[in-house]
Amino acid sequence: MSKSRILSIQSHVAFGYVGGKAAVFPLQCLGYDVDVVNTVNFSNHSGYARFGGSRTSASELSTIFQTMEENGLLEPERLLTGYIPGGEALSSVKDLATRLRHKNSQMIYLLDPVLGDSGKLYVAPDVIPIYRSMLPLSTIITPNWFEVEVLTDIRITDLLSLRKALRILHEEHHVPNVVVSSIPLRAWMYESLPSHIQHPLDADNPQPDDGYLLCISSSTEDPDRGGYPSTVHARSIPLIPGYFSGVGDLFSALLLAHYQPTSEYLVSESVNANGHPLPIAASEALSKTHAMLALTQEYSMSLPEDERLPTDEEIDEQEPSRKIRRMKGRELRLIQGQDIIRGTRPIEHRKMELWTGFWSS
Amino acid sequence: MSKSRILSIQSHVAFGYVGGKAAVFPLQCLGYDVDVVNTVNFSNHSGYARFGGSRTSASELSTIFQTMEENGLLEPERLLTGYIPGGEALSSVKDLATRLRHKNSQMIYLLDPVLGDSGKLYVAPDVIPIYRSMLPLSTIITPNWFEVEVLTDIRITDLLSLRKALRILHEEHHVPNVVVSSIPLRAWMYESLPSHIQHPLDADNPQPDDGYLLCISSSTEDPDRGGYPSTVHARSIPLIPGYFSGVGDLFSALLLAHYQPTSEYLVSESVNANGHPLPIAASEALSKTHAMLALTQEYSMSLPEDERLPTDEEIDEQEPSRKIRRMKGRELRLIQGQDIIRGTRPIEHRKMELWTGFWSS
């Protein structure tokens, strides 16, 4: 087992599994030496309503990066960046990513542009243009649906606007690889999918837009980083109800861990679902993340009733401890499910399939 | 796999494996959920001469602890504390440990009183009395030889002074369990050991005080926490030459992970090497730490010559980069050796043996 070194820059919480706590252990299990820089040091994630601790300032971040560089300790083969709450801190990370990219054009940089979710920003608005300017440095980005909309300024309501958004990411922002996981599957998406990707509708699932999520990957092979059209893959998976934190952070870490650009497709140059490194990695990340979520959900449902209260924001407001108890019962079962990460526990494989005719149909 | 929750409070470095970076991953591999509070956030350990970053202030620590408590997230079954650089921060940790001990008398607290090594302090002197006052809160302490001397104010030069120091820890400071690993084996120690613990002297090892380390454990079973005489176990192991960082932090984490006080000795009350939970855990920790160190040493020796320069402080002073290159090549191979931690790679078992007649001979 001799894998490369990853520099991971994201949030740290003492309790629970989001940010670095959701990403670093899986990467280590999969054989990577991980250098860990914490952008915040908090007690727990913000979903608990109450959280305490401090943010790492831009100058503290720069000092850490600079000292590592002076000591010859800043030569990662891979870079992973996640939640960075303010513009100044993000600028410091951007400077670093620029230097590292300049030193090593082969570095694999997974940039997770953490901006918000479901229509709400959870960073300062000044980070948005900085993230846009960082996109050309990336190898892979993993925005959620909302973040794709914010980064591209496109409201995605149909296949045409989805195409436009992906084209902007690839052509204008020079992103070679995009993976959007956990998209609530709408009827228009379902109808746009080729039949081999559509999940079957039956008595349990009569509506196409009910109870499923879609994962999309879009990759280009253009050395100029502006390839178009891209190759698009997709997979729908059953939605596990309830809100769980850290799922995106785990997914991004697994995607980076399993992304192996030296696989044979580079030799054969055949474009199919088996050969592309991006959908191969996305399939692994999707399968493992879903299995981990199912394990967490199962545990959460086994708790006493008052620790598995359903999500209800109105009741939560009247009784904040209710939300806290629920959050605690829904922390990812990363430790108990570490065999899933390592691949030694059998799980269902959810393969990303080629979206034939994505650009032309 | 359902293990308990550990709260770990120690240093964090971005690069390399000391403090929390040496402890948390092994604990997670062994099935523990670990809550991680960082007392410093540095680029790398201080052995590199250059290091940057910041210390977590006492008030930041208190905020994190208090928020966790308010959220009902502060109920660890086990507590692990390591490097805490200043008196104020240590006082904040002491307050926490006191509250946790009050809430749960069964909590297992491994206190590593990190003060210094080989005659040199690497914390502010004001932490010494605070550590002394914390000793009665502990379940196990893991001082090195120098730290035993500082905590007890005894210079240990023979069996009598060693007895006196251990007695002070057990009787005056009410510590139930003490483990001192990595003691350079002196001739007087060798001669004090019962013959079944003495390593054989032969042509390769003609001198008793050359090339070996001793690990000692001393445990009492007195519910009043003042037991005397204690039961002492020991084991000598071959010294791996060169200075490696984070070894003590790894050892303490493994000791805590393997310490299972509900083992059968509580039922049988027979005092022997197989039954005592402390030497059982110390044997596991010693075996795994030694195997990890051997793996690291093997890697270090495989590096190009200029990255495995021998320790030489005089030459280092003239050429600081020499020290940095050596340090980098000697970081623990924790990721590559994770099978050792999990117990799935066969290693030599180094069993702690009963030191018969320790108090009476």
Side-chain angles (χ1 to χ4, degrees):
Chain A
M1 185 150 59
S2 180
K3 291 231 175 117
S4 54
R5 181 171 283 279
I6 295 178
L7 172 58
S8 166
I9 305 172
Q10 47 189 320
S11 63
H12 174 78
V13 290
F15 184 97
Y17 301 100
V18 302
K21 282 284 287 299
V24 174
F25 176 64
L27 291 171
Q28 291 176 320
C29 282
L30 290 168
Y32 291 93
D33 275 295
V34 187
D35 302 331
V36 181
V37 173
N38 303 315
T39 56
V40 306
N41 273 281
F42 284 159
S43 55
N44 47 261
H45 69 70
S46 59
Y48 286 88
R50 255 192 308 244
F51 60 99
S54 56
R55 294 187 159 88
T56 312
S57 71
S59 87
E60 283 168 328
L61 288 174
S62 298
T63 302
I64 290 172
F65 299 146
Q66 197 187 324
T67 312
M68 289 176 74
E69 190 153 28
E70 286 169 1
N71 282 344
L73 305 178
L74 201 55
E75 290 164 353
E77 284 89 6
R78 295 178 182 223
L79 176 64
L80 172 61
T81 63
Y83 180 67
I84 300 157
E88 279 188 45
L90 186 59
S91 293
S92 164
V93 173
K94 180 187 167 179
D95 288 349
L96 172 78
T98 307
R99 287 209 304 285
L100 292 176
R101 172 59 74 214
H102 183 74
K103 277 206 308 203
N104 178 8
S105 64
Q106 299 302 304
M107 180 182 73
I108 297 169
Y109 175 18
L110 192 153
L111 188 166
D112 187 359
V114 181
L115 293 168
D117 204 358
S118 311
K120 277 185 215 159
L121 278 183
Y122 34 70
V123 291
D126 65 336
V127 310
I128 298 170
I130 307 173
Y131 267 128
R132 278 200 198 107
S133 72
M134 289 173 75
L135 294 175
L137 297 168
S138 70
T139 310
I140 309 173
I141 66 169
T142 51
N144 60 29
W145 199 241
F146 171 68
E147 289 157 350
V148 174
E149 292 187 329
V150 172
L151 290 171
T152 60
D153 245 333
I154 300 281
R155 178 125 179 77
I156 307 171
T157 53
D158 54 19
L159 185 59
L160 273 180
S161 47
L162 173 59
R163 278 183 194 156
K164 198 166 170 190
L166 285 180
R167 192 165 172 171
I168 288 173
L169 290 174
H170 288 305
E171 284 198 324
E172 283 182 27
H173 297 298
H174 306 283
V175 176
N177 297 291
V178 179
V179 180
V180 190
S181 63
S182 305
I183 307 165
L185 211 165
R186 303 274 171 248
W188 67 260
M189 282 181 216
Y190 186 85
E191 278 142 32
S192 311
L193 288 170
S195 59
H196 68 282
I197 306 184
Q198 289 174 333
H199 60 270
L201 301 182
D202 54 26
D204 286 346
N205 295 289
Q207 298 298 326
D209 59 351
D210 197 21
Y212 273 78
L213 296 175
L214 192 69
C215 178
I216 297 178
S217 74
S218 176
S219 59
T220 64
E221 293 165 71
D222 189 326
D224 301 346
R225 304 173 59 88
Y228 164 80
S230 64
T231 308
V232 177
H233 289 75
R235 169 89 198 195
S236 63
I237 51 163
L239 169 76
I240 293 178
Y243 187 77
F244 297 84
S245 296
V247 181
D249 305 322
L250 172 62
F251 179 85
S252 294
L254 290 171
L255 183 66
L256 178 59
H258 287 290
Y259 183 73
Q260 301 300 350
T262 50
S263 69
E264 60 235 51
Y265 102 100
L266 287 175
V267 179
S268 76
E269 291 198 22
S270 72
V271 174
N272 61 58
N274 291 325
H276 255 293
L278 188 66
I280 291 173
S283 303
E284 286 292 316
L286 193 63
S287 306
K288 291 181 177 182
T289 304
H290 188 78
M292 189 67 76
L293 207 49
L295 184 81
T296 303
Q297 157 82 347
E298 192 187 341
Y299 170 77
S300 163
M301 295 306 289
S302 75
L303 291 173
E305 201 177 356
D306 71 336
E307 288 170 42
R308 56 179 168 88
L309 307 164
T311 306
D312 187 320
E313 291 184 7
E314 259 181 52
I315 307 180
D316 283 356
E317 257 181 56
Q318 290 158 31
E319 193 198 336
S321 71
R322 186 177 181 279
K323 189 172 179 182
I324 289 170
R325 290 200 305 279
R326 184 177 65 240
M327 286 294 161
K328 194 178 166 188
R330 288 191 186 167
E331 289 284 356
L332 288 175
R333 301 284 285 170
L334 218 53
I335 304 301
Q336 296 75 17
Q338 56 186 283
D339 290 352
I340 293 169
I341 295 164
R342 268 186 217 110
T344 55
R345 183 189 303 196
I347 59 170
E348 190 180 332
H349 186 66
R350 299 171 192 275
K351 189 178 158 197
M352 299 285 289
E353 302 281 359
L354 186 65
W355 189 329
T356 42
F358 177 85
W359 293 102
S360 57
S361 64
Chain B
M1 185 151 57
S2 179
K3 292 232 174 116
S4 54
R5 182 171 283 279
I6 296 178
L7 172 58
S8 167
I9 305 171
Q10 46 189 320
S11 63
H12 174 79
V13 290
F15 184 97
Y17 300 99
V18 301
K21 281 284 287 295
V24 173
F25 177 62
L27 292 170
Q28 292 176 320
C29 281
L30 290 167
Y32 291 93
D33 274 294
V34 187
D35 302 330
V36 181
V37 172
N38 303 316
T39 57
V40 306
N41 273 281
F42 285 158
S43 54
N44 47 261
H45 71 71
S46 59
Y48 286 88
R50 257 194 305 245
F51 59 100
S54 57
R55 294 186 160 89
T56 312
S57 72
S59 87
E60 283 169 328
L61 288 175
S62 298
T63 301
I64 289 172
F65 299 146
Q66 196 187 323
T67 312
M68 288 175 76
E69 190 154 27
E70 287 170 359
N71 282 345
L73 305 178
L74 201 54
E75 290 164 353
E77 284 89 5
R78 297 180 180 221
L79 176 64
L80 173 61
T81 62
Y83 180 67
I84 300 157
E88 280 188 45
L90 186 59
S91 293
S92 164
V93 173
K94 181 188 167 180
D95 288 348
L96 172 78
T98 307
R99 287 208 304 285
L100 292 176
R101 171 59 74 213
H102 183 72
K103 278 206 307 200
N104 178 8
S105 64
Q106 299 302 304
M107 181 182 73
I108 298 169
Y109 176 17
L110 192 152
L111 188 166
D112 187 359
V114 181
L115 293 168
D117 204 357
S118 312
K120 277 186 214 157
L121 278 182
Y122 34 69
V123 293
D126 65 337
V127 310
I128 298 170
I130 307 174
Y131 267 128
R132 281 202 195 105
S133 72
M134 290 173 74
L135 294 176
L137 297 168
S138 70
T139 311
I140 310 172
I141 66 169
T142 50
N144 61 29
W145 197 242
F146 170 67
E147 289 157 350
V148 174
E149 292 187 329
V150 172
L151 290 171
T152 61
D153 244 333
I154 300 282
R155 178 127 177 74
I156 307 171
T157 53
D158 53 19
L159 184 58
L160 273 179
S161 49
L162 174 58
R163 278 184 193 154
K164 198 166 168 189
L166 285 180
R167 193 165 170 171
I168 287 173
L169 291 174
H170 288 305
E171 285 199 322
E172 283 182 28
H173 296 298
H174 306 282
V175 177
N177 297 291
V178 179
V179 180
V180 190
S181 63
S182 305
I183 308 165
L185 212 163
R186 303 273 171 250
W188 68 261
M189 282 181 217
Y190 186 85
E191 278 143 31
S192 312
L193 289 170
S195 59
H196 68 282
I197 306 184
Q198 289 174 333
H199 60 269
L201 301 182
D202 53 28
D204 285 347
N205 294 289
Q207 299 298 326
D209 59 350
D210 197 22
Y212 274 78
L213 296 174
L214 192 69
C215 177
I216 297 178
S217 74
S218 176
S219 59
T220 64
E221 292 165 69
D222 190 327
D224 301 347
R225 304 173 60 89
Y228 165 79
S230 64
T231 307
V232 176
H233 290 75
R235 169 88 200 195
S236 64
I237 51 163
L239 169 77
I240 294 177
Y243 187 79
F244 297 85
S245 296
V247 181
D249 306 321
L250 172 63
F251 179 85
S252 294
L254 290 171
L255 183 66
L256 178 59
H258 286 290
Y259 182 73
Q260 302 299 349
T262 50
S263 68
E264 61 237 53
Y265 102 100
L266 286 175
V267 180
S268 75
E269 292 198 20
S270 72
V271 174
N272 61 56
N274 291 326
H276 255 292
L278 188 66
I280 291 174
S283 303
E284 286 291 318
L286 193 63
S287 306
K288 291 180 176 181
T289 305
H290 188 79
M292 190 66 76
L293 207 48
L295 185 81
T296 303
Q297 158 81 348
E298 193 187 341
Y299 170 76
S300 163
M301 295 306 289
S302 75
L303 292 173
E305 200 177 355
D306 70 336
E307 288 169 41
R308 56 179 167 87
L309 307 163
T311 306
D312 187 319
E313 292 186 5
E314 260 182 52
I315 308 181
D316 282 356
E317 255 181 56
Q318 290 159 29
E319 194 197 336
S321 71
R322 186 178 180 278
K323 189 170 178 183
I324 289 171
R325 290 199 306 277
R326 185 176 66 239
M327 287 292 160
K328 192 176 167 188
R330 287 192 185 167
E331 290 284 358
L332 288 176
R333 301 284 283 170
L334 219 53
I335 303 303
Q336 296 74 18
Q338 56 185 284
D339 290 352
I340 293 170
I341 295 164
R342 271 187 213 109
T344 55
R345 184 190 300 196
I347 58 169
E348 190 181 333
H349 186 65
R350 299 170 192 274
K351 190 178 156 197
M352 300 284 290
E353 303 281 0
L354 186 64
W355 190 328
T356 42
F358 177 84
W359 293 103
S360 57
S361 64

